[in-house]
């Protein structure tokens, strides 16, 4: 019997697009929480839904570990958790039922639970951790096990149903009311994140992940984070966990963890899952120096902003020296008008210059693109497509504007939202509000964008290989054939896109927004 069984409800098998991509990462936020409570004397086990077949494996884990507390703790570093996909919410509710049926006290945490705590309590959860969860979970466990007598209403960052008096600290003695109480005030976020223990990687079946990655990609990737939160103002970006707060680890501490992972688990690659990595001036240079001093260098990918990449001449070189393989930029749009409406705080010129500097410095670049923002026209879309052609990123990802609670964007379009307010899975691309064009247009735009991008990327690679006949491989012939097919069918796909663009749609105008200069300034941080 263990004190806590941790789990999360993001099942890769329930997300067909990402299951096909086969790039799974363990739930890092969950591993941080497990390490945190173990440091305080509680025993913990992990159910990793990422590679599970279904919720039935959660039931089997409950039976095997017989925990006192079932903690469904979502990975707050996984952007898909923040998107609150409907299939994963259904899984969470099923997992709550299974845990309650076995007499567990059920605790849930994550973006969706924070936004919809009443719904999770109604589904059977005993407690919901609001926002960042480690300290709230620890304080709650101390109360439930009798280490303290802190009233539930005094535990910051907690939502619960009315409960009766605990007898001997047993979870089964809870007598919940069907009515949730008003959530307690939020807890201040942890400022010294360097003081947190390393994630509990020993709870993960690392070799299973390694086999999957090697079989599909030929290398093994692990995940890390160097920061928590984002201080910028993008008005479509939900921030239910950290709000506008931003805290960064010291580059020396990150390099030390990187060395530990390299020596202990021997990954071939690292994904830094931060919203923004290297925001503080000089961080990248110090990190590169420490990585080299500790022999901790591994290829990695990370996320950043165009304005941060062009801020300092030396940052791209520091990225390269630290091992950076690719930087993903939140480019979003090639239209300055749309970037301003989003309160992105970047310019199209910065995006183009950042891509140029990264490529010149030997670092690949990826673009995240977003279509369907209020007020976007077909001309704005064409500007974005042209930016992709001109900048020639090494990879792209496309989404449509996705209204999440707590954002200005959501407030602007909430009267147009239907009963369906979340996607089913990451490939849904459903316009949840009445955008500039209807859903079929954006799904077809996804086809056109990727067909043209992949054809151009493959042809560029073939031109490079053509100069070196000895480098030709069978895959290059396959790529050439695929590129010819894509280019041949592209006019038909564009024609269909044009037909869909002609269908009427009642678009929402952009809301008033802050000036570019203000949007470019991060929120000042106290403490």
């Amino acid at each position: 019997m263990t004190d806590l069984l941790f789990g999360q409800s993001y099942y890769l098998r329930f997300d067909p697009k990402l299951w096909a991509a086969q790039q799974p990462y363990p739930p890092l936020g969950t591993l941080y929480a497990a390490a945190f409570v173990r440091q305080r004397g509680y025993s913990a086990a992990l159910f990793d839904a990422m590679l599970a077949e279904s919720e039935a494996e959660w039931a089997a884990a409950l039976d095997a570990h017989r925990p006192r507390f079932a903690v469904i703790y979502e990975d707050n570093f996984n952007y898909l958790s923040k998107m609150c996909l409907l299939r994963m919410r259904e899984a969470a509710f099923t997992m709550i039922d299974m845990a309650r049926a076995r007499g567990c006290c059920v605790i849930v945490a994550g973006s969706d639970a924070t936004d919809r705590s009443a719904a999770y309590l109604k589904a059977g959860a005993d407690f919901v951790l609001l926002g960042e969860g480690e300290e709230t979970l620890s304080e709650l466990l101390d109360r439930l096990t009798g280490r303290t007598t802190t009233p539930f209403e005094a535990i910051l960052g907690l939502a619960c149903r009315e409960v009766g008096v605990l007898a001997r600290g047993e979870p089964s003695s809870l007598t919940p009311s069907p009515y949730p109480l008003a959530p307690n005030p939020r807890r201040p976020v942890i400022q010294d994140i360097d003081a947190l223990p390393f994630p509990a990687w020993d709870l993960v079946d690392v070799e299973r992940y390694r086999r999957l990655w090697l079989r599909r990609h030929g290398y093994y990737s692990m995940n890390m984070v160097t920061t928590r939160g984002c201080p910028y103002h993008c008005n479509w970006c939900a921030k239910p966990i950290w709000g506008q707060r931003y805290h960064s680890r010291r580059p020396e501490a990150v390099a030390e963890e990187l060395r530990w992972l390299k020596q202990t688990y021997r990954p071939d690659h690292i994904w830094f899952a931060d919203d923004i990595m290297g925001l503080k001036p000089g961080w990248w240079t110090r990190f590169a120096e420490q990585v080299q001093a500790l022999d901790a260098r591994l290829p990695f990918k990370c996320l950043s902003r165009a304005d941060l990449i062009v801020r300092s001449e030396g940052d791209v070189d520091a990225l390269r020296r630290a091992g950076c393989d690719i930087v993903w930029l939140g480019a979003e749009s090639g239209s300055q008008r749309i970037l301003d409406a989003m309160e992105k705080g970047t310019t199209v010129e910065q995006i183009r210059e950042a891509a140029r500097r990264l490529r010149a410095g030997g670092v690949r670049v990826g673009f995240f693109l977003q279509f369907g923002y209020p007020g976007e026209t077909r001309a704005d879309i064409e500007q974005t497509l042209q930016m992709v052609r001109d900048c020639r990123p090494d990879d792209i990802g496309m989404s449509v504007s996705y209204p999440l609670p707590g954002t200005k964007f959501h407030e602007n379009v909430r009267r147009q939202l239907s009963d369906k307010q979340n996607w089913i899975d990451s490939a849904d691309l459903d316009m949840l509000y009445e955008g500039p064009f209807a859903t079929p247009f954006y799904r077809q735009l996804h086809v056109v964008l990727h067909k043209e991008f992949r054809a151009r990327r493959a042809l560029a690679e073939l031109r490079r290989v053509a100069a070196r006949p000895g480098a030709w491989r069978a895959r290059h012939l396959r790529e050439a054939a695929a590129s010819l097919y894509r280019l041949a069918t592209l006019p038909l796909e564009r024609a269909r896109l044009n037909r869909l663009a002609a269908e009427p749609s009642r678009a929402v105008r952009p809301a008033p927004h802050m000036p570019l200069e203000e949007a470019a300034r991060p929120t000042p941080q106290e403490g």
Side-chain angles (χ1 to χ4, degrees):
M1 183 175 182
T2 188
D3 294 328
L4 292 85
L5 176 62
F6 281 92
Q8 90 277 13
S9 66
Y10 184 81
Y11 291 76
L12 193 64
R13 286 184 180 273
F14 295 170
D15 197 337
K17 182 180 81 170
L18 294 187
W19 175 252
Q22 289 287 285
Q23 293 184 345
Y25 290 94
L28 197 62
T30 316
L31 300 181
Y32 266 110
F36 192 87
V37 299
R38 290 204 306 189
Q39 194 176 61
R40 283 149 182 78
Y42 295 99
S43 60
L46 174 71
F47 163 74
D48 187 358
M50 183 62 70
L51 300 183
E53 294 283 345
S54 71
E55 301 96 330
E57 291 189 33
W58 165 254
L62 289 167
D63 292 337
H65 294 285
R66 296 184 295 118
R68 298 175 67 188
F69 305 101
V71 185
I72 303 171
Y73 198 108
E74 305 299 345
D75 181 8
N76 294 321
F77 301 111
N78 183 343
Y79 73 97
L80 293 165
S81 294
K82 188 164 67 174
M83 290 178 70
C84 313
L85 302 171
L86 289 176
R87 183 62 186 89
M88 310 312 168
R89 185 186 298 160
E90 293 172 0
F93 288 176
T94 298
M95 293 167 72
I96 290 170
D97 283 341
M98 289 174 166
R100 285 191 61 82
R102 288 160 174 80
C104 298
C105 175
V106 182
I107 303 167
V108 298
S111 296
D112 197 37
T114 295
D115 285 335
R116 296 174 174 81
S117 58
Y120 278 78
L121 293 170
K122 184 179 179 181
D126 294 300
F127 300 96
V128 174
L129 312 180
L130 306 174
E132 187 179 61
E134 288 99 336
E135 290 184 339
T136 302
L137 176 59
S138 179
E139 188 172 351
L140 175 61
L141 291 173
D142 288 350
R143 172 64 178 92
L144 292 171
T145 57
R147 292 186 184 182
T148 69
T149 58
T150 306
F152 291 117
E153 60 269 21
I155 299 177
L156 296 178
L158 185 68
C160 63
R161 293 178 290 164
E162 186 176 0
V163 296
V165 177
L166 294 176
R168 300 182 305 280
E170 291 295 327
S172 59
S173 67
L174 289 168
T175 56
S177 158
Y179 305 105
L181 298 176
N184 295 348
R186 293 286 288 269
R187 179 183 297 272
V189 299
I190 299 170
Q191 294 191 23
D192 184 9
I193 58 175
D194 276 327
L196 294 169
F198 288 171
W201 278 102
D202 59 291
L203 299 180
V204 176
D205 188 348
V206 168
E207 292 309 312
R208 186 179 179 194
Y209 277 92
R210 189 193 310 277
R211 289 193 300 271
L212 191 152
W213 274 90
L214 290 174
R215 183 169 62 247
R216 176 59 68 91
H217 306 288
Y219 67 94
Y220 171 47
S221 182
M222 297 181 77
N223 45 340
M224 288 179 62
V225 288
T226 72
T227 62
R228 291 190 174 195
C230 172
Y232 287 95
H233 311 280
C234 307
N235 57 33
W236 43 265
C237 184
K239 300 179 179 181
I241 304 301
W242 292 290
Q244 289 295 113
R245 300 292 292 173
Y246 177 87
H247 292 291
S248 177
R249 299 173 61 190
R250 293 180 300 107
E252 294 81 4
V254 177
E256 181 58 45
E257 182 182 357
L258 184 59
R259 177 174 70 169
W260 175 74
L261 281 178
K262 181 179 179 180
Q263 293 178 346
T264 306
Y265 295 107
R266 309 180 318 282
D268 306 301
H269 177 271
I270 295 292
W271 171 39
F272 285 106
D274 312 55
D275 288 337
I276 302 174
M277 189 177 179
L279 184 150
K280 293 186 175 182
W283 196 96
W284 279 118
T285 299
R286 289 171 57 196
F287 180 61
E289 292 169 352
Q290 288 299 309
V291 165
Q292 292 176 321
L294 296 176
D295 189 27
R297 194 175 190 271
L298 283 171
F300 66 84
K301 67 177 177 178
C302 65
L303 283 68
S304 189
R305 288 170 54 95
D307 53 347
L308 298 181
I309 295 297
V310 302
R311 176 182 59 187
S312 169
E313 288 289 343
D315 277 355
V316 171
D317 183 63
L319 278 162
R320 179 192 58 78
R321 288 188 290 114
C324 186
D325 169 55
I326 183 169
V327 174
W328 279 87
L329 298 176
E332 313 305 348
S333 177
S335 165
Q336 191 61 52
R337 189 176 67 86
I338 296 303
L339 290 175
D340 291 346
M342 291 176 170
E343 297 178 326
K344 180 70 182 179
T346 55
T347 66
V348 176
E349 289 75 18
Q350 287 171 334
I351 297 168
R352 290 174 176 270
E353 178 62 12
R356 186 196 68 78
R357 288 193 190 185
L358 288 166
R359 292 176 67 87
V363 178
R364 297 191 303 143
V365 60
F367 280 1
F368 287 120
L369 304 170
Q370 180 183 159
F371 295 95
Y373 196 81
E376 184 181 58
T377 66
R378 187 68 187 274
D380 295 317
I381 292 172
E382 289 301 326
Q383 288 180 50
T384 303
L385 298 179
Q386 189 60 48
M387 180 180 73
V388 172
R389 297 183 193 111
D390 294 343
C391 293
R392 297 178 292 112
D394 297 276
D395 208 349
I396 58 171
M398 173 191 157
S399 184
V400 298
S401 299
Y402 190 76
L404 286 169
T407 64
K408 291 183 181 180
F409 172 42
H410 183 275
E411 180 62 24
N412 186 31
V413 303
R414 63 184 176 84
R415 291 182 179 84
Q416 292 192 352
L417 299 177
S418 65
D419 290 340
K420 181 183 178 182
Q421 298 188 17
N422 298 86
W423 288 350
I424 297 171
D425 56 49
S426 64
D428 194 327
L429 292 184
D430 194 359
M431 289 297 290
L432 300 176
Y433 79 105
E434 295 184 19
F437 301 99
T439 295
F441 173 86
Y442 293 104
R443 289 176 176 163
Q444 181 63 16
L445 177 60
H446 185 275
V447 172
V448 170
L449 171 66
H450 282 85
K451 183 163 285 196
E452 179 179 335
F453 171 76
R454 288 168 183 160
R456 288 177 178 273
R457 183 177 61 181
L459 289 174
E461 171 65 17
L462 291 172
R463 282 194 291 269
R464 287 192 293 269
V465 173
R468 296 177 289 115
W472 277 92
R473 299 291 183 271
R475 66 178 178 85
H476 293 123
L477 296 176
R478 293 194 295 270
E479 288 173 359
S483 296
L484 290 174
Y485 171 78
R486 293 185 183 114
L487 291 173
T489 56
L490 189 58
L492 295 175
E493 301 293 2
R494 274 196 165 275
R496 185 181 177 206
L497 185 69
N498 292 334
R499 289 194 299 272
L500 291 169
E503 297 180 4
S505 180
R506 182 166 64 87
V508 177
R509 289 182 295 181
H513 56 81
M514 65 177 65
L516 170 63
E517 296 76 14
E518 185 179 347
R521 288 194 296 268
T523 301
Q525 303 293 300
E526 300 175 1

